[in-house]
Amino acid sequence: MAREEENYYGKHGEPRKFDPKFRGPIHNRHCTDVLCCVIFIVVILGYIALGILAWVHGDPRKVVYPTDSYGQFCGQKDTINENKTSLFYFNILKCASPIVLINLQCPTTQLCVSKCPDRFATYIDMQASYRYNKSYWEYYRQFCKPGFNKPLKSVAQVIRDEDCPSMIIPSRPFLKRCFPDFSTKNGILTVANQTTFKDGRGKTRNVTDLREAANGINNVLDARSVGMKIFEDYASSWHWILIGLFIAMVVSLLFLVLLRFTAGVLFWIFILGVIGIIGYGIWHCYWEYDHLQGTPGSDLTIYDIGFQTDFRVYLQLRQTWLAFMIILCIVEVFIILMLIFLRNRIRIAIALLQEGSRAIGYIMSTLFYPIITFILIAICISYWAVTAVFLSTSGEPVYKVMANQTLCKYANLTCDPETFNTTNVTKLCVGAQCTFAFYGGESFYHKYIFIFQLSNAFVFLWLVNFAIALGQCTLAGAFASYYWAFRKPADIPTCPLFSSFGRAIRYHTGSLAFGSLILAIVQLIRIILEYLDHKLKGTQNSFTRFLLCCLKCCFWCLEKFIKFINRNAYIMIAIYGKNFCTSAKEAFFLLMRNVVRVAVLDKVTDFLLFLGKLLVAGGVGVLAFFFFTHRIPVFTQETPTLNYYWVPLLTVIIGSYLIAHGFFSVYAMCVDTLFLCFLEDLERHDGSAERPYYMSKSLLKILNKPNVETKRH
């Protein structure tokens, strides 16, 4: 009999001889896909080692603190720059864009300062007033290099050696960097209410010249004030947001319970509504067609008038409305015929939906399992993000020669700041300096940081998919134990969710890792294709862009197909405990033998769950809208005063949708599991005393296949 059970499916997936010893999910299991399990464990250990390696070499301070031209952090405690929290740029006009500034690639001296300048000033003006007003110099020197105290040094030499900036402009700190304090006055761009400034080199320039160096900074700074207001709104309404999310959870639970009684009613109301709307559309098209009779020009054909940008022209033609009427008639007839020929399959789908609600009612703990999946995914995301930050900050400070590239052949070459003054570079390139450029390195570790980052992303995708697969297999095992209980609920095992989780971890880690690995590879390829597409957007090679578009489409379809196969394979693994490939093959052929039932159940389930999500998110959203806009008289006094009422409103709507999605994903998994069990039940049993059906009485009634009264021991 064991061999009969092992060979239940033929070479091409066709059902073979019935196994009389079949009693539902196999409890005496063995480990599956052991090799993949071993590889998975080794990869996890390697991932931990990669995190430790990144932690040893990385320095997240490089992200938190800006770095000056000497590689020192601004604002870091227990350093000479502890009280100098902002980064100042000597000549911000040399910076091409804000991205350059943030990446510390601006080709000008950068200095840590305690505060950003708050006035316009130039070194020339300071020097001219130094003899009778030394306070000017005392203010200006804080933006010069530390230790520089030669206010009478010639302007040309100061600018050449970059001892001091040739000018300073009013600035404000953003991302701990000093950017021009832009504002708009009467539609004119200004800095400290001025439209012009002296550049310290004898020229008067317009503040619009700073736009190229700090493009978009003003908008981002304005966004800071918006961000503060949003934070205030969250601070005053967070408890009401939690109440709204709690209501969404209760409504989601009620909807799942009511599906047991209303699934059929909701579906048929929707179908009749669609038929009625299409019928009205047919009548309206006929009315328009008849109304245009005799109207000049209405008898022209679409071919006669050709292509028109104003599509309202086509609505003046009788032919257009005739075409619409024919199309709607075809759709109406198709829907009616589909309902006539597929009515039994639709009834089965509705019965399975009701059975799913009943199964969840008996195993309520499954509704809260998504919390475990969420925690596992949150851990994966956190570890990936921390490792990525440490890897990106693993470089050592790299210094380069800063000089005029047209006059100095050593410009942009790496240098050592400790020995730079003893080299000939300063003699051959007057004014050249060895300044900090970026973080990098030439060691083996630093050369392969990109590979490490790619590996970090790949293992992250693998772990996330594994967490999702573990949840699907666990839920499938719990719901399968419900279906294969001959006397429900008496024969349902104790703690079915916990038992299913234990079986999945103990026996099928390798199979779950195998399916997750395939999906992670496809997802990584999609990410690489998206990156290449982003990089090649500016190219004129239409063939390359077309090829990338085709590849992206193909891999998107492949990812969807693999997710579908994996989901059903995990269900078969939970039921029979076989390896991934065997389970995927059996699930695929089982579904293909019942492709019409699959399509009907999928569409009916999608519609009802979509309706449920709209009901939960929309209902709670409407309630939140009336509450936060002071339109509920009873709660007028309790409603907080907000800057933007849409902030908590959107939070409640999005949060409600996510909560509903979490609950309904369990329901969808339940229906899919029961459906596969139902198909297996039909193929394995015939309702006799030796082979009774395990399905519910409602399904037996729909199929008109009664069970012979028997007792199952």
Side-chain angles (χ1 to χ4, degrees):
M1 293 303 176
R3 185 168 183 81
E4 287 180 350
E5 182 176 353
E6 181 181 356
N7 297 325
Y8 177 71
Y9 288 94
K11 183 177 180 181
H12 301 289
E14 71 277 4
R16 281 191 176 177
K17 192 174 180 181
F18 167 75
D19 174 27
K21 286 191 174 182
F22 177 74
R23 294 294 183 270
I26 300 171
H27 295 282
N28 298 324
R29 301 183 177 224
H30 62 275
C31 295
T32 56
D33 296 302
V34 178
L35 178 60
C36 193
C37 179
V38 173
I39 295 174
F40 184 60
I41 294 174
V42 171
V43 168
I44 291 178
L45 294 177
Y47 196 35
I48 296 174
L50 177 62
I52 295 174
L53 188 65
W55 181 77
V56 171
H57 289 85
D59 189 353
R61 294 177 303 173
K62 299 169 186 176
V63 177
V64 178
Y65 303 105
T67 311
D68 63 13
S69 295
Y70 308 100
Q72 299 172 331
F73 297 115
C74 299
Q76 185 186 356
K77 292 184 178 181
D78 301 325
T79 64
I80 58 175
N81 291 329
E82 180 176 358
N83 297 321
K84 299 178 179 181
T85 58
S86 301
L87 188 68
F88 172 73
Y89 297 89
F90 269 34
N91 188 358
I92 199 170
L93 292 172
K94 290 185 177 180
C95 304
S97 69
I99 297 176
V100 173
L101 300 180
I102 295 172
N103 290 335
L104 307 176
Q105 299 293 329
C106 188
T108 186
T109 300
Q110 300 151 31
L111 189 71
C112 296
V113 295
S114 57
K115 61 180 180 179
C116 297
D118 58 5
R119 67 192 72 170
F120 283 107
T122 65
Y123 192 84
I124 295 175
D125 293 340
M126 180 281 303
Q127 199 172 64
S129 62
Y130 176 73
R131 289 181 174 82
Y132 58 84
N133 185 7
K134 291 184 173 54
S135 62
Y136 201 152
W137 165 245
E138 292 302 323
Y139 178 79
Y140 203 93
R141 68 183 296 183
Q142 63 182 320
F143 303 107
C144 298
K145 288 182 177 179
F148 179 76
N149 193 18
K150 297 179 181 179
L152 298 179
K153 185 177 179 179
S154 68
V155 177
Q157 291 179 330
V158 169
I159 295 176
R160 181 198 66 189
D161 298 336
E162 293 204 4
D163 295 317
C164 289
S166 61
M167 63 170 182
I168 57 175
I169 57 176
S171 306
R172 71 172 77 176
F174 176 69
L175 297 177
K176 298 184 179 181
R177 292 162 175 82
C178 295
F179 291 127
D181 188 7
F182 290 117
S183 61
T184 303
K185 186 177 182 180
N186 297 327
I188 301 174
L189 186 68
T190 64
V191 174
N193 294 325
Q194 295 189 30
T195 58
T196 60
F197 66 96
K198 297 178 181 179
D199 66 354
R201 300 171 187 264
K203 294 182 180 180
T204 300
R205 306 180 67 166
N206 195 292
V207 296
T208 54
D209 294 337
L210 297 170
R211 192 193 303 268
E212 182 69 19
N215 184 30
I217 292 299
N218 189 48
N219 294 332
V220 179
L221 291 174
D222 290 340
R224 287 185 67 192
S225 62
V226 175
M228 291 301 297
K229 292 180 180 179
I230 291 175
F231 179 78
E232 292 174 359
D233 290 343
Y234 276 124
S236 59
S237 63
W238 64 269
H239 50 289
W240 293 108
I241 293 175
L242 291 180
I243 292 174
L245 297 180
F246 177 78
I247 294 174
M249 183 182 70
V250 174
V251 174
S252 299
L253 287 171
L254 288 176
F255 185 82
L256 291 181
V257 173
L258 290 175
L259 275 180
R260 182 188 304 184
F261 312 102
T262 61
V265 176
L266 289 174
F267 177 79
W268 289 114
I269 288 176
F270 170 76
I271 290 296
L272 293 176
V274 170
I275 292 175
I277 291 173
I278 295 177
Y280 170 78
I282 294 172
W283 176 84
H284 182 78
C285 290
Y286 174 78
W287 183 86
E288 291 284 356
Y289 175 79
D290 184 68
H291 183 71
L292 289 173
Q293 186 175 7
T295 303
S298 62
D299 291 326
L300 293 174
T301 64
I302 297 175
Y303 179 79
D304 293 333
I305 65 173
F307 177 75
Q308 300 292 328
T309 55
D310 187 0
F311 290 98
R312 289 176 296 181
V313 174
Y314 297 106
L315 299 180
Q316 306 301 320
L317 304 178
R318 299 185 71 205
Q319 188 185 65
T320 302
W321 292 106
L322 179 62
F324 285 162
M325 184 172 63
I326 293 173
I327 293 172
L328 290 177
C329 286
I330 293 174
V331 173
E332 185 87 329
V333 171
F334 175 78
I335 292 177
I336 293 173
L337 290 177
M338 181 188 70
L339 292 176
I340 293 173
F341 289 104
L342 299 180
R343 61 186 184 279
N344 283 334
R345 289 180 172 84
I346 293 174
R347 291 175 63 197
I348 292 172
I350 294 173
L352 283 171
L353 290 171
Q354 295 170 334
E355 190 71 9
S357 180
R358 191 175 295 109
I360 290 176
Y362 288 126
I363 316 175
M364 289 292 291
S365 57
T366 55
L367 288 174
F368 302 96
Y369 185 84
I371 298 176
I372 298 177
T373 302
F374 173 79
I375 293 173
L376 292 176
I377 293 177
I379 293 173
C380 294
I381 293 175
S382 302
Y383 189 86
W384 164 79
V386 171
T387 303
V389 169
F390 274 89
L391 283 174
S392 62
T393 58
S394 293
E396 299 172 349
V398 176
Y399 299 86
K400 288 192 174 184
V401 177
M402 184 182 295
N404 192 321
Q405 297 184 11
T406 59
L407 302 176
C408 179
K409 64 180 181 179
Y410 297 101
N412 290 329
L413 296 180
T414 56
C415 58
D416 186 352
E418 296 181 359
T419 61
F420 181 73
N421 292 330
T422 61
T423 62
N424 294 328
V425 178
T426 54
K427 298 178 181 178
L428 298 175
C429 303
V430 179
Q433 299 181 24
C434 183
T435 60
F436 170 79
F438 54 87
Y439 288 99
E442 298 297 329
S443 66
F444 175 84
Y445 172 78
H446 295 105
K447 285 182 179 179
Y448 291 95
I449 282 183
F450 175 75
I451 302 298
F452 293 148
Q453 286 282 27
L454 202 62
S455 302
N456 182 32
F458 172 70
V459 181
F460 163 72
L461 293 174
W462 193 358
L463 291 175
V464 168
N465 288 319
F466 177 82
I468 296 173
L470 177 61
Q472 292 176 343
C473 189
T474 299
L475 292 173
F479 293 126
S481 65
Y482 164 82
Y483 186 94
W484 296 114
F486 188 73
R487 296 171 299 176
K488 302 176 179 63
D491 290 345
I492 299 177
T494 307
C495 301
L497 183 67
F498 181 78
S499 300
S500 178
F501 180 81
R503 288 197 302 269
I505 288 291
R506 182 177 179 181
Y507 298 108
H508 307 305
T509 297
S511 297
L512 301 180
F514 189 16
S516 305
L517 173 63
I518 298 173
L519 186 57
I521 292 173
V522 175
Q523 290 174 337
L524 183 65
I525 294 174
R526 285 195 63 201
I527 292 174
I528 294 173
L529 290 174
E530 290 289 347
Y531 174 78
L532 292 176
D533 184 50
H534 176 73
K535 287 295 183 181
L536 296 175
K537 272 187 177 179
T539 63
Q540 300 299 321
N541 192 332
S542 57
F543 175 76
T544 303
R545 287 187 279 112
F546 172 76
L547 182 61
L548 271 176
C549 183
C550 292
L551 288 174
K552 286 167 58 179
C553 180
C554 291
F555 277 95
W556 180 84
C557 296
L558 181 60
E559 181 182 354
K560 295 297 180 182
F561 178 74
I562 290 176
K563 284 183 177 180
F564 173 77
I565 291 297
N566 283 6
R567 182 183 180 92
N568 290 285
Y570 299 147
I571 295 174
M572 298 299 281
I573 290 171
I575 297 174
Y576 298 110
K578 298 181 181 179
N579 62 50
F580 176 81
C581 292
T582 302
S583 299
K585 182 191 72 173
E586 292 181 357
F588 178 77
F589 284 115
L590 179 63
L591 293 173
M592 288 302 100
R593 291 195 299 271
N594 300 272
V595 64
V596 178
R597 284 173 175 163
V598 173
V600 171
L601 179 73
D602 184 59
K603 296 309 174 187
V604 172
T605 305
D606 287 347
F607 159 68
L608 290 178
L609 295 187
F610 176 72
L611 186 66
K613 292 175 186 178
L614 286 184
L615 176 66
V616 174
V620 177
V622 169
L623 181 64
F625 172 78
F626 282 104
F627 176 79
F628 289 117
T629 54
H630 302 267
R631 300 187 184 186
I632 302 179
V634 179
F635 296 101
T636 302
Q637 299 297 327
E638 287 78 12
T639 304
T641 302
L642 304 170
N643 297 297
Y644 310 108
Y645 73 85
W646 51 264
V647 171
L649 177 61
L650 286 180
T651 305
V652 169
I653 293 175
I654 296 173
S656 300
Y657 182 84
L658 293 176
I659 288 174
H661 178 75
F663 281 113
F664 294 168
S665 65
V666 175
Y667 183 77
M669 195 68 202
C670 177
V671 173
D672 288 347
T673 303
L674 296 182
F675 180 59
L676 278 181
C677 293
F678 168 73
L679 298 180
E680 284 284 308
D681 198 6
L682 282 178
E683 293 191 350
R684 285 182 174 271
H685 306 124
D686 58 7
S688 62
E690 295 78 15
R691 297 186 298 176
Y693 292 114
Y694 284 76
M695 65 186 72
S696 64
K697 293 182 179 179
S698 59
L699 286 170
L700 286 172
K701 185 177 180 181
I702 293 172
L703 294 173
N704 195 24
K705 293 184 177 182
N707 261 339
V708 176
E709 292 296 330
T710 182
K711 293 183 179 181
R712 180 62 62 119
H713 299 287

